[in-house]
């Protein structure tokens, strides 16, 4: 039986299994879901055993469990380590979901649920592709290992320790990850770059209590005024970040890389229409895809303080807050970048107020050379199934553990995503296009057979 016929015959059964997986509210960020995290890890382990994997084990960690499995019966063939995560983002705001986030629903060829595309749907494809190869051929064309964690959405704190302790067990010739997306429908992509990350929170305190704006207005510091002025100092009018030394380690885009971005034929007009924007915005001299894939950023994620209720309250707030994240590229060092931003903030804060800064996440950027043979093989596999060879792109997001995998295991990382950019990952009404469910299964089989 052809693989196309095999998957077609089992489609409803396999979709039913995926829906079962998607009903588990495995939200790693919320402690109330600890038992759901255990349930999800056990579900994954059960499916790996059912698929025919050996040595399936749930490793307990200081946080959420990591599931490991292997099938090492292809002597002389390469080993591929498949990574994914079973944890999902919180679902707020719940009122914006058209159907409940943990009640998977099919609509118009799409499967709606939290985790559908990020990353339960995509890691499920790998489990079923391996199961298909074993059922159809009773053997795998390569050696396979699985490492599926439950903390990706909170920056994988336990996985780093696991990788360091289990380096020999996890040794591999390549790491295969499906946690990214196609460029658009029918247009596959292989990400050869992910931006790094650093984050911080800041608080400005002025007086020791909120004050009446009639009695004190114009005579004392206003925490919100000070915050707005400080945040405005972080960019110039051309969208460039003004922090001294911020761009150290940022590579200039080569003509070849710019040509790769141009091949995407990205439609900025369509983007503006979809998002209800009159214009895009960012660092001058770069296109939208260059800004979001290959340039660093400093973004305000939240600014708040003072009265926020209905109506008017004439108050001078005593404090103001902001949350900032930066996406990093090239050789930018997350800690050095944080230090420079903090120095800038202290140097530019208004007199008469107190600034407190709390550093947060840190992750290095990741880059791969597209000429690596395994990456070319992945592009060929996409072409065999989609009829269009995958383009090599740089992804604006961050998967912090990818750089760690590459560095600790000294192996290329192949990011073969099957999502689409508009599938609302991290947002209400997350979904997975079932066309890519079908083609994803075939592409993974095709890739593993070509590698073997």
């Amino acid at each position: 039986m052809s693989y196309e016929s095999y998957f077609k015959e089992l489609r409803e059964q396999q979709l039913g299994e995926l829906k079962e997986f998607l009903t588990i509210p495995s939200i790693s960020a919320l402690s109330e879901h600890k038992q759901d995290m255990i349930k999800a890890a056990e579900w994954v382990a059960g499916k790996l055993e059912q698929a025919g994997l050996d040595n399936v084990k749930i490793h307990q960690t200081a946080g959420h469990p990591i599931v490991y499995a292997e099938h090492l019966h292809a002597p002389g063939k390469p080993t591929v380590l498949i990574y994914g995560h079973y944890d999902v983002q919180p679902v707020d705001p719940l009122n914006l979901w058209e159907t409940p986030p943990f009640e998977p629903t099919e609509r118009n060829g799409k499967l709606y649920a939290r985790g559908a595309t990020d990353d339960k749907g995509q890691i499920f494809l790998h489990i079923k592709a391996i199961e298909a190869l074993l059922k159809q051929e009773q053997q795998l064309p390569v050696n396979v290992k699985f490492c599926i964690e439950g903390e990706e959405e909170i920056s994988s704190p336990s996985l780093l320790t696991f990788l360091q302790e289990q380096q020999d067990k996890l040794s591999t010739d390549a790491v295969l990850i499906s946690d990214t997306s196609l460029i658009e429908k029918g247009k596959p992509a292989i990400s050869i770059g992910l931006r790094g990350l650093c984050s911080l929170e800041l608080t400005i305190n002025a007086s020791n209590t909120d004050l009446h704006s009639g009695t004190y207005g114009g005579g004392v510091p206003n925490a919100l005024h000070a915050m707005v002025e400080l945040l405005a100092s972080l960019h110039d009018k051309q969208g460039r970040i003004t922090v001294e030394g911020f761009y150290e380690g940022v590579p200039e885009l080569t003509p070849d890389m710019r040509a790769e971005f141009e091949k995407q034929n990205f439609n900025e007009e369509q983007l503006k229409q979809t998002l209800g924007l009159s214009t895009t915005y960012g660092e001058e001299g770069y296109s939208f895809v260059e800004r979001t894939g290959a340039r660093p950023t400093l973004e305000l994620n939240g600014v708040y303080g003072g009265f926020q209720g209905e109506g008017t309250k004439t108050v001078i707030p005593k404090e103001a807050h902001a949350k900032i994240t930066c996406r990093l590229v090239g050789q930018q060092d997350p800690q050095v970048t944080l230090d420079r931003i903090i120095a800038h903030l202290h140097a530019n804060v208004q007199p008469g107020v107190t600034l407190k800064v709390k550093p947060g996440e840190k992750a290095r950027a990741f880059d791969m050379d597209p000429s690596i043979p395994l990456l070319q093989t992945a592009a060929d596999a996409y072409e065999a199934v989609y009829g269009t060879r995958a383009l090599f792109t740089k992804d604006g997001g961050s998967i912090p553990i990818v750089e760690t995998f590459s560095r600790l295991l000294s192996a290329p990382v192949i990011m073969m995503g099957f999502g689409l950019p508009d599938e609302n990952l991290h947002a209400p009404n997350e979904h997975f296009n079932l066309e890519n469910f079908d083609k994803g299964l075939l592409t993974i089989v095709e890739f593993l057979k070509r590698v073997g």
Side-chain angles (χ1 to χ4, degrees), residues 232-254:
S233 77
L234 291 166
H235 294 85
D236 64 19
K237 297 293 186 183
Q238 290 72 46
R240 190 171 172 85
I241 297 157
T242 55
V243 173
E244 186 176 351
F246 183 87
Y247 289 94
E248 184 178 305
V250 176
E252 283 303 320
L253 286 178
T254 64

Side-chain angles (χ1 to χ4, degrees), residues 194-310:
L194 294 167
R195 292 194 287 190
L197 179 72
C198 65
S199 66
L200 61 157
E201 298 180 25
L202 47 152
T203 299
I204 284 179
N205 290 99
S207 52
N208 58 11
T209 184
D210 288 352
L211 298 169
H212 189 290
S213 67
T215 305
Y216 292 95
V220 297
N222 181 315
L224 275 175
H225 288 187
M227 180 64 82
V228 170
E229 178 184 300
L230 181 59
L231 297 178
S233 77
L234 291 166
H235 294 85
D236 64 19
K237 297 293 186 183
Q238 290 72 46
R240 190 171 172 85
I241 297 157
T242 55
V243 173
E244 186 176 351
F246 183 87
Y247 289 94
E248 184 178 305
V250 176
E252 283 303 320
L253 286 178
T254 64
D256 286 347
M257 197 65 239
R258 295 198 111 153
E260 282 296 315
F261 280 119
E262 286 177 15
K263 286 179 187 176
Q264 296 183 30
N265 294 319
F266 186 81
N267 189 334
E268 289 198 20
E269 288 303 317
Q270 181 63 50
L271 174 77
K272 288 187 287 187
Q273 185 178 338
T274 301
L275 299 181
L277 296 171
S278 60
T279 182
T280 57
Y281 173 81
E283 190 181 2
E284 280 189 2
Y286 299 93
S287 68
F288 175 83
V289 289
E290 289 170 346
R291 290 175 191 153
T292 57
R295 296 296 293 171
T297 67
L298 188 156
E299 295 285 354
L300 309 181
N301 307 123
V303 181
Y304 51 100
F307 178 66
Q308 297 173 53
E310 184 179 354

Side-chain angles (χ1 to χ4, degrees), residues 45 251 298 318 393:
L298 188 156
K318 68 171 186 173
T393 64

Side-chain angles (χ1 to χ4, degrees), residues 83 85 87 118 149-156 179 398-400:
Y83 163 80
H85 63 93
D87 64 321
D118 181 24
E149 66 153 327
E151 295 180 354
E152 193 276 340
E153 300 294 3
I154 53 172
S155 299
S156 306
D179 198 7
S398 304
I399 309 175

Side-chain angles (χ1 to χ4, degrees), residues 56-123:
V56 179
K57 184 176 180 182
I58 297 175
H59 291 264
Q60 301 303 326
T61 72
H64 302 304
I66 294 170
V67 185
Y68 174 85
E70 63 188 23
H71 194 280
L72 308 177
H73 304 293
K77 299 293 185 179
T79 298
V80 176
L81 173 66
I82 297 169
Y83 163 80
H85 63 93
Y86 62 83
D87 64 321
V88 300
Q89 282 277 324
V91 297
D92 313 81
L94 190 59
N95 64 299
L96 295 183
W97 286 81
E98 291 183 27
T99 49
F102 297 108
E103 295 180 17
T105 307
E106 285 185 57
R107 297 197 300 274
N108 303 318
K110 301 171 183 177
L111 180 59
Y112 286 80
R114 174 57 91 225
T117 189
D118 181 24
D119 179 48
K120 287 180 175 177
Q122 298 206 54
I123 191 59

Side-chain angles (χ1 to χ4, degrees), residues 13 21 33 54 72 94 132 246 325 333 352 382:
Q13 177 187 317
F21 192 17
H33 289 283
D54 304 324
L72 308 177
L94 190 59
F246 183 87
T325 54
D333 184 301
Y382 273 115

